[in-house]
């Protein structure tokens, strides 16, 4: 599955697009490893996978 995420840390906002991950927890782990800082807030949107929202 692929996800988009907007991540807020103490340093500011970071945007991730089309990140492949098995599930949301796997995505959070990948982003945490990349940022190497505490995540204050995270907004996740599934962009491709089992469920797809046609908004």
């Amino acid at each position: 599955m692929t996800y988009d995420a907007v991540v807020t840390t103490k340093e500011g906002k970071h945007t991730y697009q089309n990140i492949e991950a098995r599930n949301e927890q796997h995505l959070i782990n990948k982003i945490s490893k990349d940022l190497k800082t505490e995540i204050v807030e995270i907004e996740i949107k599934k962009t491709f996978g089992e469920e797809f929202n046609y908004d």
Side-chain angles (χ1 to χ4, degrees):
M1 288 180 256
T2 60
Y3 297 89
D4 289 350
V6 177
V7 182
T8 304
T9 65
K10 292 179 181 179
E11 288 79 31
K13 285 195 175 199
H14 307 269
T15 304
Y16 290 84
Q17 293 182 314
N18 298 319
I19 303 298
E20 290 189 28
R22 291 186 298 270
N23 54 41
E24 289 185 10
Q25 186 60 52
H26 184 229
L27 175 70
I28 293 168
N29 292 345
K30 288 176 84 168
I31 291 171
S32 293
K33 192 179 282 188
D34 180 57
L35 290 175
K36 297 182 177 94
T37 186
E38 181 183 345
I39 294 174
V40 175
E41 183 181 357
I42 187 164
E43 200 175 306
I44 298 171
K45 179 181 175 188
K46 188 183 294 184
T47 57
F48 183 78
E50 294 170 0
E51 302 168 18
F52 195 81
N53 191 356
Y54 291 98
D55 285 330

Short mmCIF file of all heavy atoms in Angstrom, two decimals:
data_model
loop_
_atom_site.label_atom_id
_atom_site.label_comp_id
_atom_site.label_asym_id
_atom_site.label_seq_id
_atom_site.Cartn_x
_atom_site.Cartn_y
_atom_site.Cartn_z
N MET A 1 0.83 -1.17 0.00
CA MET A 1 0.00 0.00 0.00
C MET A 1 0.88 1.24 0.00
O MET A 1 2.01 1.19 0.47
CB MET A 1 -0.89 0.00 1.24
CG MET A 1 -1.99 -1.03 1.17
SD MET A 1 -3.00 -0.99 2.63
CE MET A 1 -2.37 -2.44 3.45
N THR A 2 0.35 2.31 -0.51
CA THR A 2 1.10 3.57 -0.47
C THR A 2 0.29 4.60 0.31
O THR A 2 -0.94 4.57 0.31
CB THR A 2 1.43 4.11 -1.88
OG1 THR A 2 0.22 4.34 -2.58
CG2 THR A 2 2.31 3.16 -2.65
N TYR A 3 1.03 5.49 0.93
CA TYR A 3 0.42 6.49 1.80
C TYR A 3 1.04 7.86 1.54
O TYR A 3 2.19 7.96 1.13
CB TYR A 3 0.67 6.15 3.27
CG TYR A 3 0.07 4.86 3.74
CD1 TYR A 3 0.78 3.67 3.64
CD2 TYR A 3 -1.18 4.83 4.33
CE1 TYR A 3 0.24 2.48 4.08
CE2 TYR A 3 -1.73 3.64 4.79
CZ TYR A 3 -1.01 2.47 4.66
OH TYR A 3 -1.54 1.30 5.12
N ASP A 4 0.26 8.90 1.84
CA ASP A 4 0.76 10.25 1.96
C ASP A 4 0.68 10.58 3.45
O ASP A 4 -0.23 10.10 4.14
CB ASP A 4 -0.10 11.26 1.20
CG ASP A 4 0.04 11.15 -0.30
OD1 ASP A 4 0.94 10.44 -0.77
OD2 ASP A 4 -0.75 11.80 -1.01
N ALA A 5 1.61 11.40 3.93
CA ALA A 5 1.57 11.77 5.35
C ALA A 5 2.08 13.20 5.52
O ALA A 5 3.01 13.62 4.85
CB ALA A 5 2.43 10.82 6.17
N VAL A 6 1.43 13.91 6.43
CA VAL A 6 1.91 15.22 6.86
C VAL A 6 2.28 15.03 8.32
O VAL A 6 1.46 14.67 9.15
CB VAL A 6 0.83 16.31 6.71
CG1 VAL A 6 1.34 17.64 7.24
CG2 VAL A 6 0.39 16.44 5.26
N VAL A 7 3.55 15.28 8.61
CA VAL A 7 4.09 15.01 9.94
C VAL A 7 4.53 16.33 10.58
O VAL A 7 5.25 17.11 9.97
CB VAL A 7 5.31 14.06 9.85
CG1 VAL A 7 5.84 13.74 11.22
CG2 VAL A 7 4.94 12.79 9.10
N THR A 8 4.08 16.55 11.80
CA THR A 8 4.50 17.73 12.55
C THR A 8 5.48 17.29 13.63
O THR A 8 5.20 16.37 14.39
CB THR A 8 3.29 18.43 13.20
OG1 THR A 8 2.33 18.74 12.19
CG2 THR A 8 3.71 19.72 13.90
N THR A 9 6.65 17.95 13.65
CA THR A 9 7.64 17.72 14.70
C THR A 9 7.91 19.06 15.36
O THR A 9 7.37 20.09 14.96
CB THR A 9 8.95 17.17 14.10
OG1 THR A 9 9.53 18.17 13.27
CG2 THR A 9 8.73 15.90 13.31
N LYS A 10 8.79 19.06 16.36
CA LYS A 10 9.15 20.32 17.01
C LYS A 10 9.86 21.26 16.04
O LYS A 10 9.84 22.46 16.21
CB LYS A 10 10.04 20.04 18.22
CG LYS A 10 9.28 19.34 19.33
CD LYS A 10 10.17 19.06 20.51
CE LYS A 10 9.38 18.35 21.59
NZ LYS A 10 10.17 18.02 22.76
N GLU A 11 10.48 20.70 15.00
CA GLU A 11 11.21 21.49 14.01
C GLU A 11 10.30 22.05 12.91
O GLU A 11 10.71 22.91 12.15
CB GLU A 11 12.32 20.67 13.36
CG GLU A 11 13.50 20.39 14.28
CD GLU A 11 13.22 19.25 15.26
OE1 GLU A 11 12.46 18.33 14.91
OE2 GLU A 11 13.74 19.31 16.38
N GLY A 12 9.07 21.52 12.77
CA GLY A 12 8.17 22.00 11.74
C GLY A 12 7.40 20.87 11.08
O GLY A 12 7.34 19.77 11.59
N LYS A 13 6.83 21.18 9.90
CA LYS A 13 6.03 20.18 9.17
C LYS A 13 6.84 19.55 8.07
O LYS A 13 7.65 20.20 7.42
CB LYS A 13 4.79 20.84 8.57
CG LYS A 13 3.72 21.14 9.58
CD LYS A 13 2.41 21.45 8.91
CE LYS A 13 1.37 21.62 10.00
NZ LYS A 13 0.02 21.48 9.50
N HIS A 14 6.58 18.27 7.85
CA HIS A 14 7.25 17.50 6.80
C HIS A 14 6.17 16.77 6.01
O HIS A 14 5.25 16.23 6.60
CB HIS A 14 8.22 16.48 7.41
CG HIS A 14 9.20 17.10 8.37
ND1 HIS A 14 10.42 17.56 7.98
CD2 HIS A 14 9.10 17.34 9.70
CE1 HIS A 14 11.05 18.05 9.04
NE2 HIS A 14 10.26 17.93 10.10
N THR A 15 6.30 16.75 4.70
CA THR A 15 5.33 16.09 3.85
C THR A 15 5.97 14.89 3.17
O THR A 15 7.07 15.00 2.62
CB THR A 15 4.80 17.06 2.78
OG1 THR A 15 4.25 18.21 3.43
CG2 THR A 15 3.73 16.42 1.93
N TYR A 16 5.28 13.77 3.22
CA TYR A 16 5.74 12.55 2.55
C TYR A 16 4.65 12.14 1.57
O TYR A 16 3.47 12.17 1.91
CB TYR A 16 5.95 11.42 3.57
CG TYR A 16 7.13 11.64 4.48
CD1 TYR A 16 7.02 12.42 5.62
CD2 TYR A 16 8.36 11.07 4.19
CE1 TYR A 16 8.11 12.63 6.45
CE2 TYR A 16 9.45 11.26 5.01
CZ TYR A 16 9.32 12.04 6.13
OH TYR A 16 10.39 12.24 6.95
N GLN A 17 5.05 11.75 0.37
CA GLN A 17 4.08 11.33 -0.63
C GLN A 17 4.47 9.98 -1.22
O GLN A 17 5.65 9.71 -1.44
CB GLN A 17 3.98 12.35 -1.76
CG GLN A 17 3.39 13.68 -1.30
CD GLN A 17 3.25 14.65 -2.44
OE1 GLN A 17 4.18 14.82 -3.23
NE2 GLN A 17 2.11 15.29 -2.51
N ASN A 18 3.46 9.16 -1.44
CA ASN A 18 3.63 7.85 -2.08
C ASN A 18 4.67 6.97 -1.39
O ASN A 18 5.54 6.40 -2.04
CB ASN A 18 3.95 8.01 -3.57
CG ASN A 18 2.83 8.69 -4.31
OD1 ASN A 18 1.67 8.41 -4.08
ND2 ASN A 18 3.18 9.60 -5.19
N ILE A 19 4.58 6.89 -0.07
CA ILE A 19 5.49 6.05 0.71
C ILE A 19 4.88 4.64 0.79
O ILE A 19 3.73 4.49 1.18
CB ILE A 19 5.68 6.61 2.14
CG1 ILE A 19 6.20 8.05 2.09
CG2 ILE A 19 6.62 5.71 2.94
CD1 ILE A 19 7.54 8.22 1.44
N GLU A 20 5.65 3.64 0.39
CA GLU A 20 5.17 2.27 0.45
C GLU A 20 5.39 1.72 1.86
O GLU A 20 6.47 1.85 2.43
CB GLU A 20 5.92 1.40 -0.56
CG GLU A 20 5.55 1.72 -1.98
CD GLU A 20 6.12 0.74 -2.97
OE1 GLU A 20 6.33 -0.43 -2.60
OE2 GLU A 20 6.33 1.16 -4.11
N ALA A 21 4.32 1.10 2.39
CA ALA A 21 4.38 0.49 3.72
C ALA A 21 3.32 -0.60 3.81
O ALA A 21 2.31 -0.56 3.10
CB ALA A 21 4.15 1.55 4.79
N ARG A 22 3.54 -1.56 4.71
CA ARG A 22 2.58 -2.66 4.89
C ARG A 22 1.29 -2.18 5.55
O ARG A 22 0.22 -2.66 5.25
CB ARG A 22 3.21 -3.76 5.75
CG ARG A 22 4.34 -4.49 5.06
CD ARG A 22 4.84 -5.65 5.88
NE ARG A 22 5.39 -5.27 7.17
CZ ARG A 22 6.67 -4.94 7.39
NH1 ARG A 22 7.53 -4.97 6.40
NH2 ARG A 22 7.08 -4.61 8.59
N ASN A 23 1.43 -1.23 6.50
CA ASN A 23 0.28 -0.69 7.21
C ASN A 23 0.68 0.66 7.82
O ASN A 23 1.82 1.10 7.65
CB ASN A 23 -0.22 -1.67 8.29
CG ASN A 23 0.89 -2.09 9.23
OD1 ASN A 23 1.72 -1.29 9.65
ND2 ASN A 23 0.92 -3.37 9.56
N GLU A 24 -0.24 1.29 8.54
CA GLU A 24 0.05 2.62 9.10
C GLU A 24 1.17 2.58 10.13
O GLU A 24 1.99 3.50 10.19
CB GLU A 24 -1.22 3.23 9.69
CG GLU A 24 -2.21 3.65 8.63
CD GLU A 24 -3.41 4.38 9.18
OE1 GLU A 24 -3.43 4.74 10.37
OE2 GLU A 24 -4.35 4.60 8.39
N GLN A 25 1.26 1.54 10.94
CA GLN A 25 2.33 1.44 11.94
C GLN A 25 3.68 1.32 11.26
O GLN A 25 4.65 1.96 11.68
CB GLN A 25 2.10 0.26 12.89
CG GLN A 25 3.09 0.21 14.02
CD GLN A 25 3.06 1.46 14.88
OE1 GLN A 25 2.01 1.86 15.35
NE2 GLN A 25 4.21 2.08 15.09
N HIS A 26 3.76 0.54 10.19
CA HIS A 26 5.00 0.41 9.44
C HIS A 26 5.39 1.75 8.84
O HIS A 26 6.57 2.13 8.84
CB HIS A 26 4.82 -0.66 8.35
CG HIS A 26 6.05 -0.95 7.57
ND1 HIS A 26 6.06 -0.99 6.20
CD2 HIS A 26 7.32 -1.21 7.96
CE1 HIS A 26 7.28 -1.25 5.78
NE2 HIS A 26 8.07 -1.39 6.83
N LEU A 27 4.42 2.51 8.35
CA LEU A 27 4.66 3.85 7.80
C LEU A 27 5.24 4.77 8.88
O LEU A 27 6.24 5.46 8.65
CB LEU A 27 3.36 4.43 7.25
CG LEU A 27 3.44 5.87 6.75
CD1 LEU A 27 4.27 5.96 5.48
CD2 LEU A 27 2.05 6.43 6.53
N ILE A 28 4.62 4.78 10.05
CA ILE A 28 5.10 5.62 11.16
C ILE A 28 6.52 5.25 11.54
O ILE A 28 7.36 6.12 11.77
CB ILE A 28 4.14 5.53 12.36
CG1 ILE A 28 2.80 6.17 12.00
CG2 ILE A 28 4.74 6.19 13.60
CD1 ILE A 28 1.68 5.88 12.97
N ASN A 29 6.82 3.96 11.58
CA ASN A 29 8.18 3.52 11.90
C ASN A 29 9.18 4.01 10.86
O ASN A 29 10.28 4.46 11.21
CB ASN A 29 8.24 2.00 12.00
CG ASN A 29 7.48 1.45 13.19
OD1 ASN A 29 7.11 2.19 14.10
ND2 ASN A 29 7.20 0.17 13.17
N LYS A 30 8.83 3.93 9.58
CA LYS A 30 9.72 4.40 8.52
C LYS A 30 9.97 5.90 8.62
O LYS A 30 11.10 6.37 8.48
CB LYS A 30 9.13 4.07 7.14
CG LYS A 30 9.16 2.59 6.79
CD LYS A 30 8.49 2.30 5.48
CE LYS A 30 9.44 2.54 4.33
NZ LYS A 30 8.93 2.01 3.06
N ILE A 31 8.90 6.67 8.88
CA ILE A 31 9.04 8.12 8.99
C ILE A 31 9.86 8.49 10.22
O ILE A 31 10.72 9.37 10.15
CB ILE A 31 7.64 8.78 9.02
CG1 ILE A 31 6.98 8.64 7.63
CG2 ILE A 31 7.74 10.25 9.40
CD1 ILE A 31 5.52 9.06 7.59
N SER A 32 9.63 7.82 11.33
CA SER A 32 10.39 8.09 12.56
C SER A 32 11.87 7.87 12.34
O SER A 32 12.70 8.66 12.78
CB SER A 32 9.92 7.18 13.70
OG SER A 32 8.62 7.49 14.08
N LYS A 33 12.21 6.79 11.65
CA LYS A 33 13.61 6.48 11.37
C LYS A 33 14.23 7.55 10.47
O LYS A 33 15.37 7.95 10.66
CB LYS A 33 13.70 5.11 10.69
CG LYS A 33 15.11 4.56 10.62
CD LYS A 33 15.13 3.19 9.97
CE LYS A 33 14.68 2.14 10.96
NZ LYS A 33 14.85 0.77 10.45
N ASP A 34 13.45 8.05 9.51
CA ASP A 34 13.93 9.09 8.60
C ASP A 34 14.14 10.43 9.31
O ASP A 34 15.15 11.08 9.12
CB ASP A 34 12.94 9.25 7.44
CG ASP A 34 13.38 10.31 6.45
OD1 ASP A 34 14.50 10.18 5.91
OD2 ASP A 34 12.62 11.27 6.22
N LEU A 35 13.19 10.81 10.15
CA LEU A 35 13.25 12.13 10.79
C LEU A 35 14.22 12.18 11.96
O LEU A 35 14.79 13.23 12.24
CB LEU A 35 11.85 12.54 11.29
CG LEU A 35 10.84 12.88 10.21
CD1 LEU A 35 9.48 13.13 10.84
CD2 LEU A 35 11.28 14.10 9.42
N LYS A 36 14.37 11.08 12.67
CA LYS A 36 15.25 11.01 13.85
C LYS A 36 14.89 12.08 14.90
O LYS A 36 15.75 12.64 15.55
CB LYS A 36 16.72 11.16 13.44
CG LYS A 36 17.19 10.03 12.55
CD LYS A 36 18.66 10.18 12.21
CE LYS A 36 19.14 9.03 11.39
NZ LYS A 36 19.09 9.24 9.97
N THR A 37 13.60 12.38 15.01
CA THR A 37 13.11 13.33 16.02
C THR A 37 11.71 12.90 16.43
O THR A 37 11.08 12.08 15.76
CB THR A 37 13.12 14.77 15.48
OG1 THR A 37 12.78 15.66 16.53
CG2 THR A 37 12.15 14.97 14.34
N GLU A 38 11.21 13.48 17.50
CA GLU A 38 9.90 13.11 18.02
C GLU A 38 8.78 13.63 17.12
O GLU A 38 8.77 14.79 16.73
CB GLU A 38 9.73 13.68 19.43
CG GLU A 38 8.42 13.32 20.06
CD GLU A 38 8.25 13.95 21.43
OE1 GLU A 38 9.24 14.42 22.01
OE2 GLU A 38 7.10 13.98 21.90
N ILE A 39 7.84 12.76 16.81
CA ILE A 39 6.67 13.16 16.03
C ILE A 39 5.61 13.68 16.99
O ILE A 39 5.23 13.00 17.93
CB ILE A 39 6.12 11.97 15.21
CG1 ILE A 39 7.13 11.55 14.15
CG2 ILE A 39 4.77 12.32 14.58
CD1 ILE A 39 6.75 10.28 13.39
N VAL A 40 5.17 14.92 16.76
CA VAL A 40 4.15 15.53 17.60
C VAL A 40 2.76 15.14 17.09
O VAL A 40 1.87 14.81 17.86
CB VAL A 40 4.31 17.07 17.63
CG1 VAL A 40 3.19 17.73 18.40
CG2 VAL A 40 5.66 17.45 18.20
N GLU A 41 2.59 15.18 15.77
CA GLU A 41 1.30 14.86 15.16
C GLU A 41 1.54 14.28 13.78
O GLU A 41 2.50 14.65 13.10
CB GLU A 41 0.46 16.13 15.04
CG GLU A 41 -0.91 15.94 14.49
CD GLU A 41 -1.69 17.24 14.38
OE1 GLU A 41 -1.18 18.29 14.79
OE2 GLU A 41 -2.82 17.19 13.88
N ILE A 42 0.68 13.36 13.36
CA ILE A 42 0.82 12.78 12.03
C ILE A 42 -0.57 12.61 11.42
O ILE A 42 -1.50 12.18 12.08
CB ILE A 42 1.61 11.46 12.06
CG1 ILE A 42 1.88 10.96 10.65
CG2 ILE A 42 0.90 10.41 12.87
CD1 ILE A 42 2.95 9.89 10.57
N GLU A 43 -0.68 13.01 10.16
CA GLU A 43 -1.92 12.87 9.41
C GLU A 43 -1.62 11.95 8.23
O GLU A 43 -0.76 12.25 7.42
CB GLU A 43 -2.33 14.26 8.91
CG GLU A 43 -3.75 14.44 8.54
CD GLU A 43 -4.04 15.88 8.17
OE1 GLU A 43 -3.73 16.78 8.98
OE2 GLU A 43 -4.53 16.09 7.06
N ILE A 44 -2.33 10.83 8.15
CA ILE A 44 -2.04 9.81 7.14
C ILE A 44 -3.24 9.65 6.21
O ILE A 44 -4.38 9.62 6.66
CB ILE A 44 -1.73 8.45 7.82
CG1 ILE A 44 -0.49 8.58 8.69
CG2 ILE A 44 -1.58 7.36 6.78
CD1 ILE A 44 -0.23 7.36 9.55
N LYS A 45 -2.93 9.53 4.93
CA LYS A 45 -3.97 9.26 3.93
C LYS A 45 -3.49 8.12 3.04
O LYS A 45 -2.40 8.19 2.47
CB LYS A 45 -4.22 10.52 3.09
CG LYS A 45 -5.27 10.31 2.03
CD LYS A 45 -5.46 11.58 1.21
CE LYS A 45 -6.43 11.32 0.08
NZ LYS A 45 -6.49 12.45 -0.84
N LYS A 46 -4.29 7.08 2.94
CA LYS A 46 -3.94 5.95 2.07
C LYS A 46 -4.19 6.38 0.63
O LYS A 46 -5.25 6.89 0.30
CB LYS A 46 -4.79 4.74 2.42
CG LYS A 46 -4.35 3.48 1.70
CD LYS A 46 -5.25 2.31 2.00
CE LYS A 46 -5.15 1.90 3.45
NZ LYS A 46 -5.94 0.71 3.74
N THR A 47 -3.18 6.22 -0.23
CA THR A 47 -3.32 6.63 -1.62
C THR A 47 -3.49 5.47 -2.58
O THR A 47 -3.97 5.64 -3.68
CB THR A 47 -2.12 7.49 -2.07
OG1 THR A 47 -0.92 6.75 -1.86
CG2 THR A 47 -2.06 8.78 -1.30
N PHE A 48 -3.10 4.25 -2.18
CA PHE A 48 -3.27 3.08 -3.02
C PHE A 48 -3.18 1.85 -2.14
O PHE A 48 -2.31 1.77 -1.27
CB PHE A 48 -2.19 3.01 -4.11
CG PHE A 48 -2.36 1.85 -5.04
CD1 PHE A 48 -3.31 1.88 -6.05
CD2 PHE A 48 -1.59 0.72 -4.90
CE1 PHE A 48 -3.47 0.81 -6.90
CE2 PHE A 48 -1.74 -0.36 -5.75
CZ PHE A 48 -2.69 -0.32 -6.75
N GLY A 49 -4.09 0.92 -2.36
CA GLY A 49 -4.04 -0.31 -1.57
C GLY A 49 -5.38 -1.01 -1.58
O GLY A 49 -6.19 -0.80 -2.49
N GLU A 50 -5.64 -1.81 -0.56
CA GLU A 50 -6.84 -2.62 -0.50
C GLU A 50 -8.11 -1.77 -0.53
O GLU A 50 -9.06 -2.08 -1.22
CB GLU A 50 -6.82 -3.49 0.75
CG GLU A 50 -5.74 -4.53 0.74
CD GLU A 50 -5.59 -5.20 2.09
OE1 GLU A 50 -6.33 -4.86 3.02
OE2 GLU A 50 -4.72 -6.07 2.20
N GLU A 51 -8.13 -0.71 0.27
CA GLU A 51 -9.28 0.18 0.30
C GLU A 51 -8.89 1.45 -0.43
O GLU A 51 -7.79 1.95 -0.28
CB GLU A 51 -9.65 0.55 1.74
CG GLU A 51 -9.94 -0.63 2.61
CD GLU A 51 -10.01 -0.23 4.07
OE1 GLU A 51 -10.15 0.97 4.36
OE2 GLU A 51 -9.89 -1.11 4.91
N PHE A 52 -9.79 1.99 -1.24
CA PHE A 52 -9.47 3.23 -1.93
C PHE A 52 -10.66 4.16 -1.82
O PHE A 52 -11.79 3.76 -2.06
CB PHE A 52 -9.11 2.97 -3.40
CG PHE A 52 -8.43 4.12 -4.05
CD1 PHE A 52 -7.07 4.33 -3.85
CD2 PHE A 52 -9.12 5.03 -4.83
CE1 PHE A 52 -6.43 5.41 -4.44
CE2 PHE A 52 -8.50 6.11 -5.40
CZ PHE A 52 -7.16 6.30 -5.22
N ASN A 53 -10.42 5.39 -1.45
CA ASN A 53 -11.46 6.38 -1.26
C ASN A 53 -11.51 7.28 -2.49
O ASN A 53 -10.55 7.97 -2.79
CB ASN A 53 -11.17 7.19 0.01
CG ASN A 53 -12.35 8.05 0.41
OD1 ASN A 53 -13.34 8.10 -0.30
ND2 ASN A 53 -12.23 8.72 1.52
N TYR A 54 -12.61 7.30 -3.20
CA TYR A 54 -12.73 8.07 -4.44
C TYR A 54 -13.34 9.44 -4.19
O TYR A 54 -14.28 9.84 -4.85
CB TYR A 54 -13.58 7.30 -5.46
CG TYR A 54 -12.91 6.07 -5.97
CD1 TYR A 54 -13.20 4.83 -5.43
CD2 TYR A 54 -11.97 6.13 -6.97
CE1 TYR A 54 -12.57 3.67 -5.89
CE2 TYR A 54 -11.33 4.99 -7.44
CZ TYR A 54 -11.65 3.77 -6.90
OH TYR A 54 -11.02 2.65 -7.36
N ASP A 55 -12.84 10.19 -3.23
CA ASP A 55 -13.36 11.54 -2.93
C ASP A 55 -13.18 12.47 -4.10
O ASP A 55 -12.18 12.66 -4.64
CB ASP A 55 -12.63 12.13 -1.73
CG ASP A 55 -13.11 11.48 -0.44
OD1 ASP A 55 -14.28 11.07 -0.39
OD2 ASP A 55 -12.32 11.42 0.50
#
